[in-house]
Amino acid sequence: DPSCEATISVSTVEVTAGSTVKIPVSIKDNIGFAGFTFEIAFNDAVMTLTNISKGELLQDSESGMFTKNISGGVINWTDSVNTSGDGVILYLEFEVSDKAEQGSYPISVSLRNGAAKNFADEKSCAVNVTFSDGTLTVGTGIAIVASGTCGDDLTWTLNEDGTLTISGTGDMPDYDYSGSPFYNNSSIKNVIIEDGVTSIGERAFYGCESLTS
């Protein structure tokens, strides 16, 4: 049923040559999954994958098993129960070559070997899913090193000088202490909240010890 199809999207970021970047991978319209095996594709002449970590959506699971093969670009998650709801499931961390030329380079996440069984629910039934590639753009100036969503119609970007910009329309949800996309992020030094953002969630900046304004 296409109406029950989840979408997994890699965020788009802008960086400068020689920088490091942490890119969120998010799921939307998620009816529940208990396991996946994904492969990651990118231009290895431009960037090197240095880490894969759990996103906020997976961090609350007490029974899930998270394994990664960074050199092979493969990530596996196995749990006994479904994880439902929308949010960030993975973070991909890259080092960008200091010789990278300006331009845009795709980053994709897909089912390992194209097998439907590699995204399944707690009954081992395949779950319908589509994937949306992200883009890493190598440019000049202050680079955006991370980005994501923090509400139904709110997005955020963090640039390399520590400025977090929140934009869009509507409210940001309240978070538990570790649920915020900004939790414990010492890179955030100041925050710009653009017109249209009507509220900031409770505990949104919990643990941001470098935040001054």
Side-chain angles (χ1 to χ4, degrees):
D1 182 354
S3 65
C4 296
E5 188 171 70
T7 301
I8 293 175
S9 303
V10 182
S11 293
T12 290
V13 298
E14 183 175 350
V15 301
T16 54
S19 62
T20 59
V21 62
K22 186 175 182 178
I23 301 177
V25 179
S26 303
I27 188 168
K28 186 177 181 181
D29 299 325
N30 174 28
I31 61 172
F33 66 87
F36 59 72
T37 304
F38 296 152
E39 51 193 12
I40 303 157
F42 54 91
N43 187 327
D44 59 9
V46 173
M47 64 193 95
T48 301
L49 182 65
T50 59
N51 194 26
I52 308 168
S53 57
K54 289 190 291 186
E56 289 78 15
L57 199 61
L58 301 184
Q59 289 178 358
D60 290 337
S61 172
E62 298 180 355
S63 56
M65 181 176 294
F66 185 82
T67 55
K68 56 192 175 184
N69 177 348
I70 294 173
S71 62
V74 176
I75 180 68
N76 177 264
W77 169 260
T78 311
D79 203 347
S80 58
V81 295
N82 282 343
T83 294
S84 57
D86 298 349
V88 177
I89 56 174
L90 299 172
Y91 286 102
L92 309 178
E93 298 179 40
F94 291 94
E95 290 183 356
V96 182
S97 169
D98 57 6
K99 298 179 180 179
E101 297 183 357
Q102 293 184 32
S104 295
Y105 304 93
I107 300 172
S108 68
V109 172
S110 60
L111 296 172
R112 178 71 165 160
N113 299 323
K117 66 180 181 180
N118 282 330
F119 189 65
D121 64 16
E122 60 193 10
K123 297 180 180 179
S124 299
C125 297
V127 177
N128 292 333
V129 63
T130 59
F131 293 88
S132 176
D133 292 353
T135 302
L136 183 143
T137 298
V138 179
T140 58
I142 299 176
I144 294 173
V145 296
S147 65
T149 61
C150 53
D152 290 342
D153 296 299
L154 297 180
T155 59
W156 61 269
T157 59
L158 177 65
N159 66 28
E160 63 183 353
D161 72 358
T163 298
L164 176 73
T165 301
I166 299 172
S167 58
T169 58
D171 297 335
M172 182 188 298
D174 295 332
Y175 297 101
D176 61 24
Y177 288 100
S178 62
S180 167
F182 318 120
Y183 170 69
N184 214 24
N185 189 334
S186 61
S187 297
I188 298 173
K189 298 177 181 178
N190 56 81
V191 178
I192 297 173
I193 300 170
E194 296 189 345
D195 292 343
V197 181
T198 52
S199 74
I200 297 297
E202 291 188 15
R203 296 175 290 276
F205 303 113
Y206 186 80
C208 297
E209 296 180 350
S210 301
L211 180 60
T212 58
S213 64

